[in-house]
Amino acid sequence: MKRFEQYRIGPKNRLADIAPRQRPYDLGGKKAELKELDRRARELDALQNLLYASGRRKVLLVLQGMDTSGKDGTIRWVFKRTSPLGIRVAAFKAPSTAERARDFLWRCHAVVPAAGELAVWNRSHYEDVLVPVVEGWIGKAETRQRYEHINHFEKLLTDTGTTVIKCMLHISKDEQRKRLQERLDDPAKNWKFAPEDITARKKWDAYQQAYDALLCATSTDYAPWYVIPADRKRQRNLIIAELLNTKLREMDLQLPDPVPGLEHVRID
Amino acid sequence: MKRFEQYRIGPKNRLADIAPRQRPYDLGGKKAELKELDRRARELDALQNLLYASGRRKVLLVLQGMDTSGKDGTIRWVFKRTSPLGIRVAAFKAPSTAERARDFLWRCHAVVPAAGELAVWNRSHYEDVLVPVVEGWIGKAETRQRYEHINHFEKLLTDTGTTVIKCMLHISKDEQRKRLQERLDDPAKNWKFAPEDITARKKWDAYQQAYDALLCATSTDYAPWYVIPADRKRQRNLIIAELLNTKLREMDLQLPDPVPGLEHVRID
């Protein structure tokens, strides 16, 4: 995991230390990058199969990031070689009435990965320490309390066999401008544009501050945060695919032992 | 849909009328078949994107079939070009204590597709008119009652915007023998083998009979059953991909209208 230390949040490595526009995988152009991504996507498929077959461990990939940071695109590209069978995607939007009537972790707990599963959360419980903080709906004490609840929740998950991988897709303000404009200009992308995105963009600095605070408070030994440079889409995909593969390789997954006595069975 | 009439169950077309080993798509070999499948998988991706973007309609694909009939493989191949974002797979196993404490449709209703989603059910509520029937746990009257409950449930789904597509993957007894033997002989497939598979295989005829009965009783105008020849895996994938694409094309999905007044917005 040494290679990923530069993206891992800790007391000496914060959001502002990680440049969104870097190109850690310089493979000599688009074609080579796509080929390498495909190779990694295939390895991820093999590893996910093993996770499913071994049927004991669980993996949770949390994706956070500003609007247009590429959460959907990451899921599409990183999992392009994986069967939908073993991947469970949950997208968290503004909470419904039923969800608001419970604690903020309730709807997340309902969709944690089962044994053998890899769950991907497109936004997550971290939304509850972003919007309410920026909008001033909760104060400092309640925010700190939520960080604690989150850390305890993730401890529960890791203690019971889940590998939690948290990625914040980090784009620059200028890159977001380009991407939002593209959504407006391209009729095929129009439906992805929401006027609220402009309102949120106006509070860019407040959101970056809220991200910095939550990253510091919830990047634990057992569930660390990785800030992924995401201005360049292929680079972002390559980093996340490799991070996932590395974590899965480290789990040292094995096929289960065959049921004894089956060696000589003939089916008729 | 004319081309699929031959697979559609009706009073004059029953399970025994559909040969499991046929090759409706004779494209001149493996390479051409894989290429064609890829083309269809890409079209499905585009259609699923449209379904997701338009955000109103729902699609439910039900996959049923004997052990080794290829439910997992169908999901892997037909959706190989689709992002896991918009596909929600639910696999139904033997019911848990919590599930048995409710009516048999409860666990299914919980995972119906939401607006814009395509859900795939790997086994389904139809398991409840298979195992209990073959094992004699429920009698004729209760079985008939369950058929009715199923038809009403599927009417509810279609009336509220869901296109229900039901496929029974139809393999021959001899093909199952080969595939089970392969699971025993190949160490990488061993984990997929369950000794119960042999027990179920011994009741092959009873299962075929139970399938024939449920297909007749629940192939409705609004949610018809298709029996898919499945002895040849690539042919099976081609048929299902094309059936899905045809159904999605018929839904005449459109991108939503852009929010008015956005034409001249510039992001800064």
Side-chain angles (χ1 to χ4, degrees):
Chain A
M1 295 301 295
K2 219 167 164 190
R3 168 174 32 152
F4 297 106
E5 283 309 303
Q6 56 182 310
Y7 308 124
R8 182 177 169 145
I9 293 297
K12 287 181 185 163
N13 200 35
R14 296 178 63 158
L15 181 59
D17 298 317
I18 297 148
R21 216 171 168 70
Q22 60 184 281
R23 185 198 287 278
Y25 293 98
D26 198 347
L27 303 171
K30 180 172 175 180
K31 208 177 151 188
E33 286 176 19
L34 285 176
K35 201 178 156 193
E36 177 62 15
L37 182 58
D38 199 59
R39 199 186 60 75
R40 286 172 197 203
R42 284 176 194 270
E43 187 187 355
L44 178 59
D45 178 40
L47 286 163
Q48 182 271 323
N49 249 322
L50 208 51
L51 175 74
Y52 183 75
S54 59
R56 290 179 52 243
R57 305 288 300 277
K58 307 139 193 173
V59 175
L60 172 60
L61 174 65
V62 172
L63 295 178
Q64 280 289 156
M66 299 292 284
D67 293 323
T68 77
S69 63
K71 299 176 288 294
D72 289 17
T74 298
I75 298 173
R76 167 173 287 272
W77 282 92
V78 171
F79 296 102
K80 72 194 278 271
R81 292 292 182 183
T82 325
S83 170
L85 258 178
I87 310 292
R88 193 172 293 278
V89 180
F92 295 96
K93 302 190 176 159
S96 68
T97 314
E99 287 166 351
R100 269 184 284 118
R102 273 89 176 185
D103 67 88
F104 76 102
L105 292 172
W106 176 72
R107 62 176 184 165
C108 300
H109 208 157
V111 291
V112 295
E117 276 186 358
L118 194 163
V120 184
W121 289 0
N122 189 346
R123 303 187 189 269
S124 65
H125 45 312
Y126 286 99
E127 289 296 310
D128 293 286
V129 284
L130 281 165
V131 187
V133 170
V134 170
E135 298 298 332
W137 300 335
I138 59 173
K140 278 192 177 157
E142 192 172 348
T143 308
R144 264 198 307 273
Q145 200 185 41
R146 288 196 182 186
Y147 293 153
E148 262 179 60
H149 287 312
I150 288 175
N151 287 338
H152 291 149
F153 173 59
E154 292 177 359
K155 185 76 169 44
L156 165 73
L157 297 185
T158 49
D159 281 351
T160 51
T162 308
T163 299
V164 179
I165 306 166
K166 303 186 290 193
C167 293
M168 187 247 180
L169 310 186
H170 186 30
I171 55 166
S172 62
K173 194 174 177 187
D174 194 50
E175 180 67 22
Q176 193 196 48
R177 181 188 55 74
K178 284 186 207 153
R179 295 187 186 178
L180 282 177
Q181 191 66 56
E182 215 178 289
R183 287 192 180 174
L184 282 170
D185 296 345
D186 181 349
K189 290 188 178 173
N190 238 254
W191 64 275
K192 280 194 136 194
F193 184 87
E196 305 88 83
D197 296 352
I198 298 184
T199 328
R201 179 172 168 78
K202 291 208 173 104
K203 297 176 180 164
W204 179 273
D205 291 341
Y207 272 103
Q208 295 293 308
Q209 226 178 318
Y211 261 114
D212 182 55
L214 79 82
L215 291 168
C216 286
T218 61
S219 190
T220 54
D221 284 346
Y222 51 91
W225 266 110
Y226 295 90
V227 169
I228 311 293
D231 266 10
R232 298 171 192 273
K233 297 178 184 175
R234 288 192 301 276
Q235 294 286 315
R236 170 202 75 203
N237 294 336
L238 282 165
I239 300 169
I240 296 178
E242 189 54 19
L243 175 63
L244 253 175
N245 285 346
T246 306
K247 294 267 187 187
L248 281 158
R249 268 186 241 118
E250 278 175 354
M251 289 166 73
D252 193 26
L253 299 161
Q254 305 288 344
L255 285 175
D257 290 330
V259 184
L262 289 183
E263 301 85 336
H264 307 296
V265 172
R266 302 243 57 87
I267 307 287
D268 49 34
Chain B
M1 294 299 297
K2 220 167 167 191
R3 171 172 32 149
F4 298 106
E5 284 308 304
Q6 56 181 313
Y7 309 124
R8 181 177 169 145
I9 293 296
K12 287 180 184 165
N13 200 35
R14 295 178 63 157
L15 181 58
D17 298 317
I18 296 147
R21 217 173 168 68
Q22 58 185 281
R23 187 199 286 278
Y25 293 98
D26 199 347
L27 304 171
K30 179 172 175 179
K31 208 177 151 189
E33 286 175 20
L34 285 177
K35 202 178 155 193
E36 177 61 15
L37 181 58
D38 198 59
R39 198 186 60 76
R40 285 172 198 206
R42 282 175 195 273
E43 187 187 354
L44 179 59
D45 177 40
L47 287 162
Q48 182 271 323
N49 250 322
L50 209 50
L51 176 74
Y52 182 76
S54 59
R56 290 180 52 243
R57 306 287 301 276
K58 307 140 191 172
V59 175
L60 171 61
L61 173 66
V62 172
L63 295 178
Q64 280 288 153
M66 300 290 288
D67 295 322
T68 77
S69 62
K71 298 176 289 292
D72 288 17
T74 299
I75 298 173
R76 167 173 287 274
W77 282 92
V78 170
F79 296 102
K80 72 194 277 273
R81 292 291 181 183
T82 326
S83 170
L85 258 179
I87 310 291
R88 194 172 293 277
V89 179
F92 295 95
K93 302 190 175 156
S96 69
T97 313
E99 288 166 350
R100 270 184 284 116
R102 272 91 175 183
D103 68 89
F104 76 101
L105 293 172
W106 177 72
R107 62 175 184 165
C108 301
H109 208 156
V111 291
V112 295
E117 276 187 357
L118 194 164
V120 185
W121 289 0
N122 189 346
R123 305 184 188 272
S124 65
H125 45 312
Y126 286 99
E127 289 296 311
D128 293 286
V129 284
L130 281 164
V131 187
V133 170
V134 170
E135 298 297 334
W137 301 335
I138 60 174
K140 279 193 179 160
E142 193 172 346
T143 307
R144 264 199 305 273
Q145 200 184 42
R146 287 195 183 187
Y147 293 152
E148 263 178 58
H149 288 312
I150 288 174
N151 287 340
H152 291 149
F153 174 59
E154 293 177 358
K155 186 76 170 43
L156 165 73
L157 298 185
T158 49
D159 280 351
T160 51
T162 308
T163 299
V164 180
I165 306 165
K166 303 185 290 191
C167 293
M168 187 247 180
L169 310 186
H170 187 29
I171 54 166
S172 63
K173 193 174 179 188
D174 194 50
E175 182 66 22
Q176 192 195 47
R177 182 188 55 71
K178 284 185 207 154
R179 294 186 187 180
L180 282 176
Q181 192 67 57
E182 214 177 290
R183 286 191 180 175
L184 282 169
D185 296 345
D186 181 347
K189 289 188 178 173
N190 238 252
W191 64 275
K192 281 195 135 193
F193 184 86
E196 304 88 81
D197 295 352
I198 299 185
T199 327
R201 180 173 167 78
K202 290 209 173 102
K203 297 175 182 167
W204 180 272
D205 291 341
Y207 272 103
Q208 296 293 309
Q209 227 178 314
Y211 261 113
D212 182 55
L214 78 82
L215 290 168
C216 287
T218 61
S219 191
T220 54
D221 284 347
Y222 51 90
W225 266 110
Y226 295 90
V227 168
I228 311 294
D231 267 10
R232 298 172 192 272
K233 296 178 184 175
R234 287 190 303 275
Q235 294 287 314
R236 170 201 77 203
N237 293 337
L238 282 165
I239 301 168
I240 296 178
E242 190 52 21
L243 176 63
L244 253 175
N245 285 345
T246 307
K247 294 266 188 190
L248 280 159
R249 269 186 243 119
E250 279 175 353
M251 290 166 73
D252 194 26
L253 300 160
Q254 305 288 345
L255 285 175
D257 290 330
V259 183
L262 289 182
E263 301 86 337
H264 307 295
V265 173
R266 304 241 59 86
I267 307 286
D268 47 35

